[in-house]
Amino acid sequence: MLDATPLTEGWILRHEGKSLPAEVPGCVHTDLLAAGLIPDPFLGRNETEVAWVGRREWTYEVELPGVGAAGGHDQTDLVFDGLDTAAEIRLDGRVLGSVRNMHRSYRFDITGLSGRLSVRFASAYTEAEAVRERLGDRPNAYPEPFQYIRKMACSFGWDWGPTLVTAGIWRPVRLERWSTARIARVRPLVTVDGTTGRVELLVDVERAAVEAGLRLRARVGGVTADAEVEGTSGTVRLEVPGVQRWWPRGYGEQPLYDVELTLLSDGGALDLWRRRVGFRSVELDRSADEHGTGFTLVVNGDRLFARGVNWIPDDVFPSRITPERYRARLTRAAEAGVDLVRIWGGGIYESEDFYDVCDALGLLVWQDFPFACAAYPEEQPLRGEVEAEARENVVRLMPHPSLVLWNGNNENLWGFRDWGWEERLAGESWGEGYYLGVLPRVVAELDPTRPYAAGSPWSGSWERHPNDPAHGTHHSWEVWNREDYAEYRANVPRFVAEFGWQAPPAYATLRRALPGEEPAPDSPGMLHHQKAEDGNGKLERGLARHFALPEGDFDRWHYLTQVNQARAVAAGIEHWRSHWPVCAGTIVWQLNDCWPVTSWAAIDGDGREKPLYHELRRLYADRLLTLSAGALAVVNQAAGEWTGSARLRRMSVDGAVLGEAYAAFAAAGRTVTRVDVPQELEPAGPKEFLVADADGLRALRFPCPDRDIPYPRPEFEVTAAPGSVTVTARTLVRDLLLQADRLDPRARADRGLVTLLPGERVTIGVGGWETPDPDAARSALYCLEPHR
């Protein structure tokens, strides 16, 4: 049987004649940080102090244990699951090979060899700049050469991320000793017909003994099947009766089935491959209709409104991301009502741990191929690297039922048409051959069970604008960049794959990230942790459209920017969900951060939830109420019918009820219905607003910007008990927020913004706060106040 030995101990990192202990998997930055040789680049402005690291060469070394004697096996392989990025591998001075792709694994035959193993990493800058020099400059969104090397693009910085250009053995490395033959690749095609599951395992083997007779045996769901290996390949087919289908969360359960494949010879078992699969069907309906061209995911025959979030690498040093961290972050997404996670194209193909969690939680995965915001050369050897990495990762990820869509790139088709690339490129390659040629061919050949989209945004054809909201996927960035978020309501895209609004991280996150600095919107550390072009200017202009700007009051600024982020995203999702099935999904930019930063994330770089996170729990719930002028939309994404009566109240900001009515509604499962609001209940002017309540849910409509509303001075009572804070309102209290991390950095509140009418009460669960004190709780409570 194949014997695998992890190589995790005894590594050292060499640089300019010096050495230090190295952790594998890991990277140069984390090793230097552990040795106390660089400051934490996440704190203050330390990022600039460590920029030199990405410009140097580094060598990892280890003495291989007992390689010379293969332990009775025919062959010994050295296997790297991931090398970041441009490296030369030597054993006892002999060159085993050179690599240039972070997104691939590598295997070297070292049978009979022993000695010192060294992996020398060139600077990714040096490698990328050499390619750029040879091929010529091509446009991108940032002044860094990330498109010239197959590496995580956001290592080179982004409008939410630091420039920390890594190097290292970022995924596990091991020795594999084997005899006769081993399993080289398994390509599982998993389909379902009624209650019959079908698993077809297409297997490639590598032989050490050409003449040996080999066979395959597979088991799944109590069914066993055998097949012969002819040459170096074989196929095992199994039919499994009575299977339970795998469903996205909110639509059904997520049963998973163990698949076990054994490679056998007359002498017994040689190698074993195990995975978990789920039986489900997935389609992408891109048919034309009277509204344009759709983009609707269909799982097991059910059409879905995708409640999505965009995912970036959860740490700029991905080797630090543990299975527990994946589970915590993705569980929080599921608890917010999310059912789809888009892995963005400037990052990585995530580890198996990520997709395993999504399989278990019922989170659909949209996987971008790693191309983002740049014109990518198609010349060799880059073209060969792209195809090789695509082939490997498509096959690697195929077992996961959560994976439902392959997407060619992020914003590159749009960039070619709109960002001046077409003129600058003057006929040079820029990636179109990948997105419309290589990648769809690889997916069609290897994984015909899943749909492929050429890019996001993409309207399906060059005959239309790539970001046409009426066709395919749409990225809505005019709002954040130039317009008020009320403009989200100006159109109904078929699928909104990116949109969002910025806010700073939680207060405790800022205090940790900016030691010794009193934060202000324009303080040095705050500006350093704001990477977006004119980010603070956009935050301020976005605030000014709705609020009187809080001059010189950082705490109010911090609170209002977080309110504005939640309000902006709510404006989009409420509008677009209310137009299902024309609009078939929203993917918020973004769920997470890779360091402490002002960004579009719902969960900040220290893992603390912003108010946006809690707002997503309301916006992505199965049932949602939303008000627009003259109508109440009743959104029912649950399977069963929702019937009831909505209580409609026209109120004054002083708390008086000026008019009231009840409106019956009936919304079938997975549908939206609208209820007319009587004209006499429409709020007239800044002193009035409309409230709709049904089955514990509420919608509010204030017809004027907050800066024009004469709010009363908020009055409320606060009590505190172990694990909770209770607030009782005596006046209208709008957008009440308990910033629990101001009580204790470990404290978390279980809800975000809440609006209370006079006499109403809310109890906020608080974890991690050991000494409940109502005065302290009051000091951490924020709400909208009258203009000063």
Side-chain angles (χ1 to χ4, degrees), residues 623 634-636 638 640-644 665-673:
R623 293 176 172 179
V634 179
V635 181
N636 180 25
E641 185 181 25
W642 184 16
T643 60
F665 63 83
R670 323 286 195 212
T671 68
V672 177
T673 191

Side-chain angles (χ1 to χ4, degrees), residues 472-553:
T473 48
H474 177 67
H475 289 194
S476 181
W477 285 118
E478 284 298 300
V479 165
W480 160 251
N481 285 316
R482 296 174 185 85
E483 299 172 347
D484 182 43
Y485 53 73
E487 292 303 310
Y488 282 138
R489 303 186 183 97
N491 57 50
V492 182
R494 305 312 301 270
F495 194 108
V496 188
E498 278 190 23
F499 74 107
W501 198 272
Q502 272 200 349
Y507 184 77
T509 300
L510 285 175
R511 295 305 265 174
R512 187 192 72 81
L514 306 178
E517 176 172 304
E518 191 60 36
D522 58 353
S523 62
M526 284 292 293
L527 290 176
H528 187 81
H529 288 250
Q530 163 62 279
K531 297 296 186 178
E533 182 181 359
D534 190 30
N536 273 16
K538 292 170 185 176
L539 281 175
E540 182 169 317
R541 289 190 291 276
L543 277 182
R545 294 183 182 109
H546 296 270
F547 303 101
L549 294 177
E551 300 293 340
D553 187 340

Side-chain angles (χ1 to χ4, degrees), residues 376-709:
Y376 283 78
E378 297 175 42
E379 288 83 354
Q380 296 291 4
L382 282 171
R383 188 179 183 89
E385 288 289 350
V386 166
E387 179 156 355
E389 83 178 46
R391 286 183 171 278
E392 177 177 343
N393 285 284
V394 166
V395 172
R396 176 173 73 90
L397 301 179
M398 280 175 65
H400 295 284
S402 56
L403 179 59
V404 295
L405 180 67
W406 294 104
N407 180 60
N409 74 89
N410 175 74
E411 297 190 345
N412 294 344
L413 297 162
W414 181 20
F416 179 76
R417 177 56 51 86
D418 261 12
W419 301 347
W421 296 2
E422 192 167 2
E423 297 80 7
R424 283 185 58 187
L425 287 164
E428 292 182 301
S429 69
W430 57 273
E432 182 183 25
Y434 298 145
Y435 320 133
L436 301 180
V438 173
L439 297 177
R441 172 171 54 80
V442 168
V443 171
E445 175 192 337
L446 298 178
D447 188 14
T449 67
R450 290 180 177 87
Y452 169 86
S456 185
W458 179 235
S459 60
S461 167
W462 283 119
E463 295 177 0
R464 299 181 286 264
H465 190 280
N467 200 27
D468 187 334
H471 301 277
T473 48
H474 177 67
H475 289 194
S476 181
W477 285 118
E478 284 298 300
V479 165
W480 160 251
N481 285 316
R482 296 174 185 85
E483 299 172 347
D484 182 43
Y485 53 73
E487 292 303 310
Y488 282 138
R489 303 186 183 97
N491 57 50
V492 182
R494 305 312 301 270
F495 194 108
V496 188
E498 278 190 23
F499 74 107
W501 198 272
Q502 272 200 349
Y507 184 77
T509 300
L510 285 175
R511 295 305 265 174
R512 187 192 72 81
L514 306 178
E517 176 172 304
E518 191 60 36
D522 58 353
S523 62
M526 284 292 293
L527 290 176
H528 187 81
H529 288 250
Q530 163 62 279
K531 297 296 186 178
E533 182 181 359
D534 190 30
N536 273 16
K538 292 170 185 176
L539 281 175
E540 182 169 317
R541 289 190 291 276
L543 277 182
R545 294 183 182 109
H546 296 270
F547 303 101
L549 294 177
E551 300 293 340
D553 187 340
F554 177 78
D555 290 343
R556 294 299 298 175
W557 177 88
H558 180 265
Y559 161 74
L560 289 174
T561 53
Q562 293 206 332
V563 169
N564 222 30
Q565 180 188 40
R567 292 258 199 100
V569 171
I573 293 178
E574 289 189 19
H575 172 66
W576 295 321
R577 277 195 75 181
S578 73
H579 284 84
W580 162 259
V582 177
C583 180
T586 56
I587 310 182
V588 177
W589 187 269
Q590 64 215 59
L591 175 68
N592 59 324
D593 268 326
C594 64
W595 76 314
V597 65
T598 296
S599 83
W600 298 263
I603 300 174
D604 75 19
D606 281 6
R608 294 185 175 92
E609 300 88 0
K610 298 182 188 178
L612 171 59
Y613 170 82
H614 297 284
E615 188 71 352
L616 286 177
R617 294 173 61 189
R618 179 184 73 87
L619 296 166
Y620 277 166
D622 281 347
R623 293 176 172 179
L624 173 70
L625 299 176
T626 177
L627 284 163
S628 58
L632 169 69
V634 179
V635 181
N636 180 25
Q637 205 162 346
E641 185 181 25
W642 184 16
T643 60
S645 180
R647 182 188 184 191
L648 302 172
R649 284 178 287 173
R650 177 182 165 202
M651 297 189 67
S652 74
V653 294
D654 294 328
V657 177
L658 306 176
E660 184 173 1
Y662 287 84
F665 63 83
R670 323 286 195 212
T671 68
V672 177
T673 191
R674 280 177 167 73
V675 177
D676 290 336
V677 173
Q679 181 62 39
E680 62 271 18
L681 294 185
E682 284 292 328
K687 294 184 178 182
E688 299 180 3
F689 63 100
L690 179 62
V691 185
D693 292 294
D695 294 339
L697 302 181
R698 170 170 287 175
L700 298 165
R701 190 169 86 81
F702 288 77
C704 301
D706 295 79
R707 66 186 182 210
D708 298 331
I709 299 173

Side-chain angles (χ1 to χ4, degrees), residues 233-246:
S233 63
T235 302
V236 191
R237 296 178 177 86
L238 303 97
E239 284 200 358
V240 187
V243 300
Q244 300 296 311
R245 293 197 180 215
W246 184 96

